[in-house]
Structures are given as structure tokens and as C-alpha cells.
Amino acid sequence: GIESRRLENMRSNVRLRLSQSWVLNLTYKRGINLLKCDNAFFGNRNYNILLENYEPSVTYAYKSNLRIIFSYGLTLKKNRIEGFENGRINNLTAELKYNLLSGTGFGAKFEYDRIAWSGSASAVNSSVGYIILDGLLPGTNYLWNANLVKRIGANLEVNVQYDGRKPSSS
């Protein structure tokens, strides 16, 4: 059968420097994510998701060595066809970036996501549930990562990265 996709995104960003070290950033995102499949065997994959995201963040920078970012995000996603599933994602993020001498940098990030889901329990494991929940599960989710970057010469860089996640109910 024929499958069509459409993805539209709009983003507005306001940045306000409060002092030499402090920056306030406000971001608003709005978008549409559409998948339409005319094949009767795959009709349950159809979705038309409206997304709205509000994300204020505050950044502290110490010289050029250290940057700490705290942010809160509220994301609302609504499927406008079939099951009319909805997701409300509250996200708290803390991020640290530290540059050492001689082209070495370290970064770490921790996210706490609280996801509220309205829709059938079986829809959580469907394609629409995956898109709305960003691959996570309703409830409390934790994500973290750490990376170390070392520049070796002018054109070579070594990057070691660790990503972890603890979805709800596991």
C-alpha cells in the first residue's frame, strides 16, 4: 500500500543574558507528525500528532571551562485520529560540561521524566505510543549519559560515551 509521512516543526527561542555568567533561555516548539497508510493490514499505524513544547532553561558559565545547565520542559502530544491518545511529559534536566586542558572535555547529563498517558493500555506499545512517549513508558523515567572527548592532533578526536536509562516499571 501507499504510505505518506509529514513532519512540520516551528521553533521560537528567546535568550536573555542576565549577567556575565548567567543566561536565561526560553524555547517554544510546535509541530505536526503525520503518518497515513492506506493498506488495511497496517491501518493501526496511522497517526496525526500535534506537539507543543515549552522549555525554560538557565545556564551558568564559569570562564570557558565550565557550563552548567538546568532546564524544565513541558511537552504535550495529542493524537488527533483513531484512539485520540494523549501524552503529557514533564522533564527536568541537569547538564554539566567541563573543558580540561589540552583539548579534553567531559560532559554529563541527567534527565527525570514524568509521563502521564491517556489512551488504551495496548496503545502504549503501538507506533503511536512510541512516538508520543519518545520510546519511554508512562510514569517515572530516568535517562543519563556521560562522555569524554580527547583531541588527538589537528584532525582526530576520540569520544567515549555512556548512555543509561531506567524506564518506568523496570
Side-chain angles (χ1 to χ4, degrees):
I2 297 173
E3 180 178 288
S4 63
R5 294 176 182 262
R6 187 174 96 204
L7 181 62
E8 296 177 11
N9 286 311
M10 179 194 71
R11 178 182 172 145
S12 299
N13 197 20
V14 175
R15 183 179 165 142
L16 179 63
R17 180 176 290 278
L18 302 173
S19 72
Q20 185 69 22
S21 299
W22 293 93
V23 175
L24 179 65
N25 198 27
L26 304 169
T27 303
Y28 171 74
K29 298 176 196 169
R30 184 177 174 94
I32 295 172
N33 190 349
L34 173 79
L35 172 70
K36 185 173 187 216
C37 184
D38 291 332
N39 189 327
F41 293 112
F42 298 110
N44 63 344
R45 291 183 48 200
N46 295 336
Y47 55 79
N48 183 356
I49 297 172
L50 175 66
L51 163 112
E52 281 190 279
N53 175 268
Y54 308 90
E55 186 172 343
S57 67
V58 63
T59 303
Y60 172 75
Y62 178 73
K63 298 182 182 177
S64 62
N65 296 19
L66 177 68
R67 180 175 304 168
I68 301 171
I69 303 168
F70 295 102
S71 67
Y72 167 75
L74 173 63
T75 304
L76 306 169
K77 293 183 180 180
K78 298 176 186 175
N79 186 18
R80 298 187 292 181
I81 60 172
E82 300 198 17
F84 300 101
E85 297 87 359
N86 292 320
R88 178 185 178 103
I89 303 169
N90 289 286
N91 171 285
L92 289 171
T93 304
E95 187 172 355
L96 170 78
K97 294 180 183 178
Y98 184 68
N99 295 322
L100 302 167
L101 299 174
S102 68
T104 303
F106 172 76
K109 184 176 181 179
F110 179 79
E111 289 185 40
Y112 167 83
D113 291 328
R114 182 75 183 150
I115 301 175
W117 169 262
S118 67
S120 68
S122 63
V124 168
N125 295 319
S126 68
S127 59
V128 109
Y130 184 82
I131 297 295
I132 289 176
L133 300 172
D134 293 329
L136 299 172
L137 295 172
T140 301
N141 298 270
Y142 301 97
L143 298 118
W144 60 91
N145 74 23
N147 67 329
L148 181 65
V149 178
K150 172 69 175 163
R151 183 175 308 274
I152 303 172
N155 299 320
L156 187 60
E157 189 174 272
V158 175
N159 187 355
V160 178
Q161 186 169 351
Y162 171 77
D163 289 310
R165 62 188 276 161
K166 184 198 174 299
S168 182
S169 72
S170 72

